[in-house]
Amino acid sequence: MSGARAVFVDRDGTVNALVPDPETGRPESPLRPGDVVLIPGAAGALRKLAEAGWLVVGVSNQPAAAKGTVSPHRLAEVRARVLELLAAEGARLDDSRVCLHHPEGVVPELTRECECRKPAPGMLLDAAKDLGIDLKRSWMIGDTDSDVLAGKAAGCRTVLIAHQPSAHKRAGSARPDAVAPDLGAAVTLLLSAELVD
Ligand SMILES: [Mg+2]
Ligand SMILES: [Zn+2]
């Protein structure tokens, strides 16, 4: 029996919008629940995947706590807010994984090289083991080269989202299977690619 099909989905810049960092002005992950705004069409896209029988698994790097910028508690509140906004539009994740580590952090217990921080595939591999996912039948969708590299390292196909505010996180060398302007378009593409497989 083959395993389940899953779509691994990045969070910031894929499901919810990036927000300007208060100090640098650069688009970054929201660090307060009130700053969370879903990207139009994202919730509908996740709903469509679920309706088509795909598992949907969130995989997100959240290094701000390791860097001492916010508390892990605040990150958990932001995460809860994303899920709440998705639920309000009838969308949910079957599982979600977060890497809180960073190799150059300041908080000792979160500062290390880990196997879960994308581009490493640890979060995808762990979820696959826990949920019985067949990685070769699965996809990774995200807005940075790291997402594509993590997906490929796990043996998945990949869609890179060309979200404008995160353009600085795409160097053009990651070689995704497809590029889409947003999650809605990525899911449409994925579902049509699966039809011809
Ligand atoms: Mg992202
Ligand atoms: Zn990690």
Side-chain angles (χ1 to χ4, degrees), residues 73-157:
H73 176 74
R74 175 64 65 79
L75 284 184
E77 288 178 343
V78 171
R79 192 177 173 200
R81 180 64 178 154
V82 175
L83 295 176
E84 181 183 42
L85 291 174
L86 287 175
E89 294 189 48
R92 54 183 279 277
L93 301 174
D94 292 289
D95 193 357
S96 73
R97 309 269 161 154
V98 183
C99 167
L100 297 175
H101 311 115
H102 195 275
E104 289 147 36
V106 297
V107 175
E109 61 270 29
L110 296 174
T111 298
R112 61 183 172 89
E113 296 280 354
C114 64
E115 290 168 3
C116 40
R117 180 174 166 76
K118 298 174 287 185
M123 292 189 280
L124 289 74
L125 300 180
D126 285 350
K129 202 190 285 176
D130 292 347
L131 302 178
I133 292 166
D134 182 348
L135 290 163
K136 287 198 177 58
R137 300 173 69 212
S138 298
W139 292 73
M140 169 80 212
I141 303 177
D143 68 320
T144 70
D145 289 348
S146 287
D147 294 310
V148 172
L149 294 170
K152 289 173 92 84
C156 300
R157 280 176 286 176

Side-chain angles (χ1 to χ4, degrees), residues 177-188:
D177 294 283
V179 179
D182 56 29
L183 184 58
V187 166
T188 300

